[in-house]
Amino acid sequence: AQQAQQQADAANPQAAEARQQAQQAQADARQQQQQVRDTLKELTDMLDQGGSALALKESLNELVREQDELADLTRKMLPETAGLSRDDLTDEQKSRLDEIAQRQNELAQKAGEFTQEAREAARNMRNQGETDQERAMAQTLEEVADLAERQGLEQDMQDAAEQAEQNQLSQAGGQQAEAQQTLSQMSQAMSGAQQKQQEMLKRRLAQLEQLLANLIERQTSQLAALDAVAEGAVENRLPELAPAQTAVRQSTMAAEAEARTDPATAPAGEVIAKAIEAQARAIVALRAAQRPGATLGEREALTRLEEALALIKEQQQQQEQEEQDKARDELRKAYEALAKREFELRDKVAEFAAKAELTRRDQATLRTLGNDQADIRAKAAELAQQVSDTLVFKQTHTRIDRAAGRAAEALLQSEADSLVLMDQQQTAKLLQAMADALAEDEDDEKFEEPPGDSGGGGGGGGGGGPEPLVPDIAELKLLKGAQEAIYEETRALSDALRDNQTRTMIQRIEDVGSAQGELHEMGKALIEKVTQQAMPTQINPSE
């Protein structure tokens, strides 16, 4: 029967081609139906597992809340029962101790149950989950359960309950503190699931990029081999190319399966599927020794593979940008928190600056505040390392270091006057200016994407890559904030001169003048940089 079919195919090539295409279409349809069934099952499993993970996260938050509440009750009760045995306590005090002990025991039981549930959920996700999200959550839950068991969370809670019952509240508080620390670490680990997912996606994208680059190279070689078969040559040479093209198609199917295992890369998988269909048509045409169909199919397959690779690279760039945006937001929050600390510290110092005479206790307090000021200066110096390759941010940090350093030195010598307050105000204003400069608004997007731009990284990104940690728009915004801070400092110096407070006044005025000059030069340099970056996209060569 097979031989008869081959003879019939040879006698009627067009019918043979149609039959082979129909067979291939049936095979592709079965494959797509199976993919649909698999996808539906994955979605169902993911919903179940996602709900389980969310419930566990809520349970952990509840454990943290209850343990914090019990620790607070224990601390409040400690002073009134310290040094007494249980027999010396009143009935009301005993009742309160028993309530703390009972609640602590119940919490220990909940902690044990949570650990078991987290372990079971991790096992299920590891066995059934196929997406990066599920694998990341399985790994996270495993780490959370390990932390609870390794650090004896349940045992610490049980010990705290026993000690509370015996009025050993100091020891109970210690065990509760241990439990709180373990719960905090578990919460941090639970929050790290998204980071793990991003790392897994990053590896998947890199793997797909390599797979597609290899497939493009192989598909290009197939086209070259097809073109090498001279027009009019013996046509039976074309079927000889079918096995190699079939091998390329099999590898392409593997790449498609890899892409479809995660929703983030599924769009690329859909494009790869179209390449597989084109490769199937090319194989049918090669076997039938039909050059036009083979050429058309292989060229379309190559186009689709290149399209899929472009999608993967675009997603890689998007992920890099998201990571950079997250880092920028964290930097902004760090500046904001440090500015808040500085403003609060300045308010504390202002109380002493208003006094005509400082007591010895006041002087000791000022020295303590001086240590706080020195710590703010050190924290600002750490942030400066993250922006060491910038222009305006780097110079602003230099000004912050000088102002915070002068304030810390004066406070450590128990000195508090208008100049110290001025330095603290300047430090806080500049820190807040940097936080504000890193905050995004609608005008930033207009700056980053000038009309006619075709992907050349706006805002200083360059080359279509991710925007830098500190884009040029943030530097420009900081110029304005820094200028406002200089203006405010100039007015403060003027007020200080009127009050005849002339300590190191000449040097301070010179510093402000120098800072104004530096700001002017930085503005010129930054504007020139931005102009040069914008010229290729804004200049019309015909004009």
Side-chain angles (χ1 to χ4, degrees), residues 143-411:
E143 291 178 5
V144 168
D146 287 343
L147 271 170
E149 292 179 351
R150 184 171 61 249
Q151 298 186 202
L153 175 63
E154 186 177 2
Q155 187 62 53
D156 284 339
M157 290 180 174
Q158 290 174 349
D159 291 345
E162 293 177 5
Q163 291 159 349
E165 189 176 11
Q166 298 301 319
N167 192 34
Q168 298 172 355
L169 294 186
S170 178
Q171 296 91 322
Q175 294 296 331
Q176 289 172 334
E178 291 289 335
Q180 286 175 300
Q181 183 177 2
T182 300
L183 288 169
S184 175
Q185 293 174 354
M186 291 165 65
S187 296
Q188 291 175 5
M190 185 73 86
S191 300
Q194 186 176 5
Q195 179 63 31
K196 290 185 178 67
Q197 182 181 349
Q198 290 296 319
E199 292 172 356
M200 290 179 178
L201 177 58
K202 194 172 187 176
R203 289 193 295 269
R204 182 180 301 283
L205 289 171
Q207 182 179 1
L208 279 171
E209 180 187 18
Q210 184 60 43
L211 282 173
L212 287 168
N214 180 262
L215 286 170
I216 288 171
E217 182 179 352
R218 291 173 63 186
Q219 189 63 70
T220 301
S221 297
Q222 283 299 116
L223 263 173
L226 179 58
D227 292 341
V229 177
E231 194 71 37
V234 180
E235 289 300 328
N236 61 11
R237 288 185 57 193
L238 291 179
E240 296 175 0
L241 303 178
Q245 181 61 65
T246 300
V248 174
R249 183 172 184 267
Q250 290 172 345
S251 298
T252 306
M253 293 172 70
E256 182 207 11
E258 177 68 20
R260 288 187 182 274
T261 55
D262 192 274
T265 53
E270 294 175 3
V271 177
I272 297 172
K274 295 179 181 178
I276 294 171
E277 293 172 3
Q279 289 168 338
R281 293 194 298 269
I283 293 170
V284 170
L286 285 173
R287 290 171 177 168
Q290 294 180 349
R291 177 190 295 274
T295 302
L296 186 63
E298 291 192 18
R299 285 180 179 171
E300 182 183 349
L302 180 59
T303 299
R304 296 299 188 182
L305 290 172
E306 291 172 341
E307 182 182 346
L309 180 58
L311 282 175
I312 292 299
K313 289 185 175 181
E314 180 181 349
Q315 194 165 8
Q316 286 177 313
Q317 182 176 329
Q318 180 181 348
Q319 187 187 33
E320 290 174 7
Q321 186 62 62
E322 289 174 356
E323 291 176 355
Q324 195 72 294
D325 290 345
K326 181 180 178 181
R328 186 183 303 117
D329 190 55
E330 290 175 352
L331 181 61
R332 179 191 62 80
K333 290 178 180 177
Y335 280 129
E336 205 161 52
L338 212 53
K340 182 180 179 181
R341 277 188 64 188
E342 186 65 53
F343 278 126
E344 291 174 350
L345 182 61
R346 182 195 179 283
D347 291 341
K348 293 179 182 177
V349 174
E351 297 176 7
F352 296 94
K355 292 185 177 182
E357 186 176 350
L358 298 175
T359 65
R360 296 179 66 177
R361 184 173 183 179
D362 291 339
Q363 293 174 352
T365 302
L366 282 176
R367 288 192 291 271
T368 300
L369 296 178
N371 290 326
D372 293 342
Q373 183 65 69
D375 184 64
I376 291 176
R377 182 191 186 191
K379 291 291 193 300
E382 293 176 4
L383 296 179
Q385 297 176 7
Q386 298 186 46
V387 296
S388 59
D389 58 346
T390 62
L391 185 64
V392 187
F393 273 73
K394 182 178 179 180
Q395 183 58 31
T396 303
H397 268 288
T398 300
R399 292 181 59 199
I400 287 173
D401 191 67
R402 286 200 298 259
R406 288 193 299 257
E409 183 179 357
L411 291 172

Side-chain angles (χ1 to χ4, degrees), residues 493-509:
L493 281 171
S494 177
D495 294 341
L497 280 172
R498 284 198 299 269
D499 294 341
N500 296 320
Q501 297 181 18
T502 58
R503 181 176 63 85
T504 67
M505 193 62 68
I506 295 178
Q507 180 62 47
R508 298 294 292 275
I509 294 174

Side-chain angles (χ1 to χ4, degrees), residues 116-131:
Q116 294 177 2
E117 291 172 2
R119 184 80 70 190
E120 182 64 24
R123 187 180 302 110
N124 291 338
M125 290 184 186
R126 191 169 54 249
N127 294 337
Q128 301 175 15
E130 295 183 1
T131 67

